[in-house]
């Protein structure tokens, strides 16, 4: 479903962010992407989301290949790959429901379907009761749930999460993580970047891809 | 619908910049519009004057009528020449008596006709340039029986110089303001994009199409241009009504042809659209990476 083959990424000023990274993530799989700050975790996720292209090697996401992808195909690719950020990136002036509706609207969902789908998405992340609250009225964990509901609006087969629990206390972090596990059991592949070593150690059953200074230092599945 | 709503929201966000943009486009087009008005009206007058430009050759008295007839045929065959009129000595005198009433006594008592016969050449349209005029005069003067060839050379040249200077000034001024307008619109749209940076980022992340994201901004540029164009049209029309400019030969000014005004307003909208497209390309295009 996702495969990186010999991927290197160099930035003009900061040099090599990634060097010769290769791995595959199968349909419905769950993996942690770990490593110290600056190891290249975010860069890997951005490459899979086609926000940037590799300097060498190639990234393949379902039928899209970084060498051949056309610019106008990228929106379709991104609808299959949901993205969740550490800082949520919710629109502050909109309610929880409106934040989710925004995503549905901009991808061209028919107007009459939006309300129903927003309600279903918010229920799925356990936030049906808070649909009229603005982000400022929600806890960190609740905000991240809204962001996940928004990422699910396009019914993606893959969910990429960049330090989704980084801003959350342990309880809320555990809750968001359980949400990811639940979505994964329903069939969505999840790749979650985190530098919380304790958290990763507590889940030894989950595959772990460990980056070090731009290289893939360890893959627990290999 | 959504695009229109958001384009209008842009005007509310940065009203001063929008007004400046509209004003600059408007001013640039008012200059072109006023020039157009004048050009359209004196175009006719200039054409009239040009038509009257004549090259005249005065003939020696001893020119044989056979040679004169042959020369006339040759002159008529020249590509630049529209018509050749021959004025005989008698006709010249007749005319002098009629035109110069004060001197009719003098002419009446003359025993010998002092006036020469002459050729009057008119040039075809498209050949009424200073070069062709003097060239034709040269050809005429080359006949041995032509004593002298004349044309209003300085005058013709001045007329043309005046017109090209006026065109140059109007284009430079209009172009200058158009450039300012483009820069202002580029900035306005850039501000609109930056103000909506968060939303644009989210749209790009969840997979909105580029066209969907860009349309409101392009529309904002086009609408700004259109507003400037209509403003220019209004101001030009006002100037036309309020200032009764009169030219010597023209009784009342004619309003611009519809094609000109429509083209001007359309050009303004297009200019706004292109300026916005430039901004959008620079500010929004990056998120999709190189391709
Ligand atoms: N847009 C960019 N321009 C230049 N350099 C960049 C860019 N993005 C990342 N880098 C560099 O690439 C390297 C890897 O960065 P990346 O953000 O992938 O690390 P990370 O593992 O996500 O770190 P963190 O845990 O701090 O988020 C760093 O050295 C960083 O400075
Ligand atoms: Mg990072």
């Amino acid at each position: 479903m996702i495969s990186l083959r010999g991927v290197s990424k160099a930035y003009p000023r900061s040099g090599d962010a990634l060097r010769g990274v290769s791995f595959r993530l199968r349909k419905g799989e769950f993996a942690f992407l770990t490593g110290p700050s600056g190891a290249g975790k975010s860069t890997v996720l951005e490459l899979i989301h086609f926000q940037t292209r590799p300097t060498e090697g190639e990234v393949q996401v379902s039928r899209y290949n970084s060498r051949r992808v056309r610019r106008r195909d990228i929106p379709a690719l991104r609808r299959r790959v949901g993205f969740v950020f550490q800082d949520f990136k919710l629109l502050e002036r909109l309610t929880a429901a409106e934040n989710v509706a925004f995503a549905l609207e901009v991808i061209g969902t028919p107007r009459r379907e939006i309300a129903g789908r927003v309600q279903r998405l918010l229920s799925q992340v356990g936030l049906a009761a808070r649909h009229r609250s603005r982000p400022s009225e929600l806890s960190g964990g609740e905000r991240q749930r809204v962001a996940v509901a928004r990422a699910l609006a396009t019914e993606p087969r893959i969910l990429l999460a960049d330090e989704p629990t980084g801003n959350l206390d342990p309880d809320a972090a555990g809750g968001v993580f359980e949400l990811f596990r639940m979505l994964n059991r329903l069939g969505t592949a999840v790749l979650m970047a985190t530098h919380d070593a304790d958290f990763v150690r507590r889940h030894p059953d989950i595959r772990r891809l460990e980056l070090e200074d731009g290289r893939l230092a360890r893959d627990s599945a290999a | 619908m959504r695009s229109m709503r958001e384009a209008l929201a842009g005007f509310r966000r940065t009203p001063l910049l929008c007004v400046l943009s509209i004003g600059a486009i408007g001013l640039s087009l008012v200059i072109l519009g006023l020039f157009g008005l004048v050009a359209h009206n004196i175009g006719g007058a200039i054409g009239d004057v040009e038509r009257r430009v004549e090259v005249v050759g005065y003939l020696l008295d001893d020119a044989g009528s056979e040679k004169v007839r042959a020369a006339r045929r040759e002159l008529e065959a020249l590509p630049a020449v529209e018509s050749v009129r021959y004025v005989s000595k008698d006709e010249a005198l007749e005319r002098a008596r009629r035109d110069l009433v004060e001197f009719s006594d003098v002419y009446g008592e003359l025993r010998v006709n002092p006036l020469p016969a002459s050729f009057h050449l008119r040039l075809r349209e498209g050949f009424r340039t200073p070069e062709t005029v003097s060239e034709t005069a040269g050809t005429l003067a080359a006949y041995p029986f032509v004593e002298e060839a004349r044309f209003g050379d300085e005058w013709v040249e001045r007329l043309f110089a005046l017109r090209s200077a006026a065109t140059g000034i109007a284009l430079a001024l209009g172009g200058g303001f158009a450039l300012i307008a483009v820069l202002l619109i580029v900035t306005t749209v850039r501000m609109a994009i930056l103000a909506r940076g968060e939303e644009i980022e989210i749209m790009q992340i969840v997979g909105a199409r580029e066209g969907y994201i860009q349309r409101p901004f392009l529309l904002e540029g086009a609408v700004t241009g259109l507003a400037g164009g209509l403003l220019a049209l209004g101001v030009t029309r006002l100037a036309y009504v309020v200032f009764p400019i009169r030219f010597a030969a023209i009784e009342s000014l004619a309003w611009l042809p519809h094609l000109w005004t429509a083209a001007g307003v359309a050009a303004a909208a297009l200019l706004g659209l292109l300026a916005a497209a430039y901004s959008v390309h620079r500010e929004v295009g990056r998120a999709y990476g190189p391709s």
Side-chain angles (χ1 to χ4, degrees):
Chain A
M1 173 147 265
I2 295 175
S3 98
L4 275 72
R5 288 186 279 269
V7 170
S8 296
K9 177 70 188 179
Y11 285 109
R13 275 178 300 282
S14 45
D16 292 352
L18 290 178
R19 280 177 283 185
V21 172
S22 302
F23 69 85
R24 292 163 64 88
L25 190 78
R26 277 173 233 290
K27 231 179 217 171
E29 211 178 344
F30 197 127
F32 286 128
L33 188 61
T34 67
S37 184
K41 305 182 292 294
S42 297
T43 304
V44 166
L45 297 185
E46 283 161 16
L47 284 164
I48 296 170
H49 208 233
F50 284 36
Q51 290 172 32
T52 180
R53 304 279 193 286
T55 317
E56 275 172 54
E58 60 184 14
V59 177
Q60 177 95 34
V61 178
S62 57
R63 63 189 175 84
Y64 302 95
N65 184 295
S66 60
R67 290 190 194 278
R68 290 183 290 276
V69 73
R70 286 170 305 180
R71 192 182 169 111
R72 67 167 182 275
D73 291 332
I74 290 178
L77 165 105
R78 295 204 181 149
R79 292 177 195 194
R80 308 174 121 250
V81 184
F83 207 106
V84 176
F85 303 87
Q86 178 172 359
D87 59 356
F88 323 128
K89 293 202 194 293
L90 296 175
L91 295 170
E92 292 296 325
R93 60 186 172 80
L94 301 183
T95 64
E98 287 165 348
N99 266 285
V100 178
F102 179 80
L104 287 165
E105 193 183 318
V106 303
I107 59 165
T109 310
R111 203 157 279 277
R112 61 194 142 70
E113 288 178 21
I114 289 181
R117 285 180 63 179
V118 167
Q119 203 181 10
R120 246 174 291 142
L121 287 161
L122 285 176
S123 314
Q124 202 174 3
V125 300
L127 267 187
R130 306 300 309 270
H131 71 280
R132 291 168 90 162
S133 305
R134 285 172 209 286
S136 58
E137 297 157 356
L138 296 171
S139 73
E142 288 168 334
R143 287 185 219 185
Q144 194 59 291
R145 286 166 186 275
V146 176
V148 171
R150 182 181 66 194
L152 296 176
T154 57
E155 299 174 354
R157 308 301 303 139
I158 303 166
L159 198 59
L160 304 176
D162 196 355
E163 313 260 7
T165 58
N167 281 0
L168 305 181
D169 63 50
D171 269 4
V176 167
F177 177 68
E178 282 314 316
L179 174 60
F180 285 150
R181 297 279 292 228
M182 187 266 280
L183 294 170
N184 178 241
R185 277 194 292 276
L186 294 175
T188 310
V190 178
L191 183 59
M192 172 173 159
T194 179
H195 58 217
D196 186 341
D198 280 348
F199 194 85
V200 174
R201 223 169 291 132
R202 264 183 275 126
H203 300 281
D205 56 316
I206 291 178
R207 181 180 174 192
R208 175 177 173 186
L209 295 157
E210 192 178 332
L211 287 171
E212 241 178 60
D213 198 18
R215 292 179 189 283
L216 189 61
R218 208 168 75 92
D219 179 356
S220 65
Chain B
M1 214 34 242
R2 172 196 74 106
S3 300
M4 198 63 211
R5 210 169 51 234
E6 284 174 11
L8 290 177
F11 289 111
R12 254 174 292 150
R13 196 165 33 240
T14 52
L16 183 66
L17 260 177
C18 289
V19 167
L20 283 177
S21 303
I22 293 172
I25 283 208
L27 197 57
S28 120
L29 279 168
V30 163
I31 290 169
L32 291 178
L34 289 178
F35 172 76
L37 202 55
V38 171
H40 174 57
N41 280 281
I42 67 174
I46 283 185
D48 223 42
V49 167
E50 279 176 6
R51 220 166 301 126
R52 271 182 275 164
V53 167
E54 275 188 342
V55 180
V56 182
Y58 297 100
L59 310 188
L60 293 171
D61 283 353
D62 59 3
S65 60
E66 203 46 53
K67 275 192 223 152
V68 169
R69 260 199 298 279
R72 181 177 180 160
R73 274 195 299 278
E74 281 168 30
L75 290 168
E76 275 172 340
L78 290 176
V81 173
E82 184 176 85
S83 66
V84 177
R85 191 159 52 89
Y86 174 75
V87 177
S88 69
K89 283 177 72 73
D90 292 345
E91 280 165 346
L93 184 62
E94 187 67 30
R95 212 198 271 181
R97 282 202 178 114
R98 198 177 60 230
D99 290 352
L100 308 168
V101 187
E102 308 87 326
F103 298 104
S104 59
D105 294 348
V106 181
Y107 284 116
E109 285 160 18
L110 284 172
R111 292 276 146 86
V112 193
N113 180 354
L115 298 178
S118 54
F119 275 145
H120 295 249
L121 276 58
R122 289 227 170 143
L123 301 184
R124 276 182 215 284
E125 205 174 332
F127 288 96
R128 294 166 193 149
T129 63
E131 297 80 44
T132 322
V133 168
S134 74
E135 205 180 288
T136 309
T139 311
L140 194 54
Y143 285 101
F145 53 85
V146 172
E147 185 174 29
E148 194 188 359
R150 276 198 204 155
F151 59 97
D153 54 351
E154 264 179 55
W155 196 71
V156 171
E157 268 167 39
R158 250 185 245 160
L159 195 67
F160 280 97
L162 189 72
R163 191 160 68 165
S164 45
T167 309
I169 290 168
L171 286 180
L173 277 178
F177 279 103
L179 188 68
I180 291 171
V182 165
L183 293 177
L184 283 166
I185 290 179
V186 165
T187 308
T188 313
V189 171
R190 182 154 179 268
M191 306 267 290
I193 291 169
L194 294 182
R196 299 197 53 219
E198 269 189 309
E199 284 153 71
I200 291 171
E201 187 185 356
I202 293 166
M203 288 193 256
Q204 289 171 334
I205 292 296
V206 301
R209 298 206 177 285
E210 266 189 285
Y212 179 89
I213 298 172
Q214 298 179 356
R215 215 172 300 131
F217 302 111
L218 298 178
L219 196 66
E220 180 173 342
V223 169
T224 305
L226 185 69
L230 292 174
L231 175 75
L233 187 59
V235 170
T236 310
R237 180 77 203 187
L238 196 71
Y240 167 78
V241 174
V242 172
F243 303 112
I245 315 164
R246 295 286 177 268
F247 293 101
I250 302 166
E251 270 304 296
S252 66
L253 274 182
W255 179 238
L256 296 170
H258 290 313
L259 191 66
W260 291 25
T261 55
V265 173
L270 189 67
L271 205 64
L273 181 69
L274 291 177
Y278 172 79
S279 245
V280 165
H281 180 73
R282 283 191 40 169
E283 305 296 330
V284 184
R286 283 195 293 262
Y288 294 91
S291 67

